[in-house]
Amino acid sequence: MARAGHWDPRELPDLAGRRYLITGANKGLGYFAAEQLVGAGAHVIMTGRNPNRLAAAHAAIERRVLDVSAGGTGAGSVETLLLDTSNLGSVRAAAATARARGPLDALVLNAGNVHPPKRRQTVDGHELVFATNVLGHFALAGELLQNLAVVGGRMVWLGSMAASLGDYEPRDPDLVEGYTAWRAYAQSKVATTALGFEADRRLREAGVPVASVVAHPGYSTSGRTAGIRGVNEPSRISRFFDNLQAPITQSKEHGAWPIVRAAADPSVQGGEFWGPRLLMHGAPRRGKAAPVTRDPEIGARLWAFCESAARVRWPFEKAARAARRLR
């Protein structure tokens, strides 16, 4: 059991009665965050865009956590929800379902596209990586704000070390000019982090009791991660090359540690940035984000762009009122 001021990622506190929604929970960091939270007693809504992969991830948690805990060790429960963050129609439909399912202690905005396919544009007309990593999450967080506010919950945005590796300020979020796959990913992570901090500023100003936190996983690779049928099945070549980098990398299980702490540690505050102790790997600790992501002017500009592009305005006043009524 965790003591006050102490956090052991291998021995989480009792999270019975807590409810979390995680985007992109069918593999990678999202899956392992879900597994760890369920193992500590929480109820987790796992979302993903592929029904078969989502079912495989659900089955893996049943097999690896719930069946093992059938003897009464206090594991939680899990359900699934189809959600494609690159499609704003899918976001709205999933949000409507999630709203009806009750309050959320945390919304983990994890789903992401790192290596975009040849198709660069979504059905809504936006650059695919920015839409998946940023716009969809901005819209989802706004749609579910009241579900978080009524229990004083929090939202966790997934950052990346890529935000510190060059000048990737999102001046052209849809990358009409100068497109490269790396620029698309890096600027999406700058935007995600900046929006996480901007959300915290706006939530505080509006008196909404929801914390907005950013977490990053360091350098986490599939090749150093446990093999799980239907969830993580790296090739022998991937394992070989990932293990060559062992001194500076970690598994996806460990990469999920900062995300889980940001979502579940009661001592975490809005506006904080969490990541591995040694930057690329290690136990989770509070860190310092890249200066570009903390610039309020950049945050405000990105906020205005996302409001227009996603056609979503966060209901700050309604969320504040909903929270006050239930105090």
Side-chain angles (χ1 to χ4, degrees):
M1 185 69 66
R3 305 189 305 273
H6 170 78
W7 186 267
D8 184 348
R10 293 184 174 86
E11 189 177 352
L12 298 180
D14 183 5
L15 299 177
R18 303 289 182 87
R19 301 181 75 254
Y20 302 89
L21 187 151
I22 303 175
T23 67
N26 60 285
K27 62 180 181 178
L29 300 165
Y31 170 81
F32 287 105
E35 188 177 89
Q36 291 164 28
L37 291 167
V38 171
H43 177 77
V44 174
I45 303 173
M46 303 173 70
T47 81
R49 64 185 179 184
N50 184 304
N52 294 331
R53 292 176 182 173
L54 196 54
H58 185 285
I61 287 187
E62 292 275 0
R63 186 172 65 250
R64 288 167 53 87
V65 180
L66 300 179
D67 289 350
V68 171
S69 301
T73 56
S77 53
V78 63
E79 63 179 299
T80 60
L81 177 64
L82 285 174
L83 167 62
D84 179 355
T85 58
S86 74
N87 185 317
L88 292 171
S90 174
V91 171
R92 293 188 181 92
T97 300
R99 275 198 303 272
R101 294 184 183 179
L104 291 170
D105 291 279
L107 172 62
V108 180
L109 305 168
N110 162 79
N113 192 319
V114 181
H115 305 293
K118 292 181 180 179
R119 178 175 62 89
R120 280 179 44 191
Q121 199 172 61
T122 69
V123 295
D124 300 299
H126 298 291
E127 192 278 317
L128 179 63
V129 175
F130 194 87
T132 303
N133 298 4
V134 185
L135 280 184
H137 285 139
F138 177 87
L140 183 67
E143 296 279 3
L144 296 180
L145 185 58
Q146 293 181 72
N147 293 63
L148 294 167
V150 294
V151 290
R154 65 184 66 161
M155 56 184 69
V156 180
W157 305 71
L158 193 70
S160 170
M161 295 186 301
S164 302
L165 300 178
D167 179 15
Y168 294 107
E169 180 187 332
R171 300 178 181 90
D172 174 18
D174 280 324
L175 283 180
V176 176
E177 298 179 0
Y179 177 88
T180 67
W182 173 252
R183 177 171 287 279
Y185 176 72
Q187 78 158 14
S188 79
K189 286 306 178 181
V190 172
T192 296
T193 306
L195 285 168
F197 296 141
E198 181 65 15
D200 186 68
R201 288 188 284 267
R202 294 184 183 231
L203 289 163
R204 290 175 186 271
E205 183 179 355
V208 180
V210 172
S212 179
V213 186
V214 181
H216 80 90
Y219 190 4
S220 304
T221 65
S222 296
R224 298 202 62 212
T225 303
I228 302 174
R229 186 170 67 252
V231 175
N232 188 65
E233 300 176 286
S235 66
R236 290 183 179 180
I237 293 295
S238 293
R239 286 212 179 274
F240 175 76
F241 283 108
D242 284 353
N243 281 313
L244 288 179
Q245 303 179 84
I248 59 169
T249 64
Q250 63 183 0
S251 67
K252 298 281 186 179
E253 296 105 315
H254 291 182
W257 285 354
I259 300 168
V260 169
R261 184 167 191 177
D265 184 349
S267 72
V268 170
Q269 301 294 311
E272 292 181 345
F273 182 73
W274 286 81
R277 184 174 66 87
L278 299 175
L279 184 62
M280 293 187 179
H281 60 96
R285 72 164 187 178
R286 192 166 36 248
K288 189 173 182 180
V292 65
T293 65
R294 288 197 169 275
D295 186 329
E297 291 186 9
I298 293 173
R301 174 157 45 83
L302 282 166
W303 194 277
F305 175 86
C306 289
E307 279 189 332
S308 174
R311 301 186 298 281
V312 171
R313 288 187 177 273
W314 286 25
F316 291 107
E317 293 183 6
K318 287 183 179 179
R321 287 199 301 270
R324 287 196 293 269
R325 282 200 300 271
L326 292 174
R327 283 177 186 169

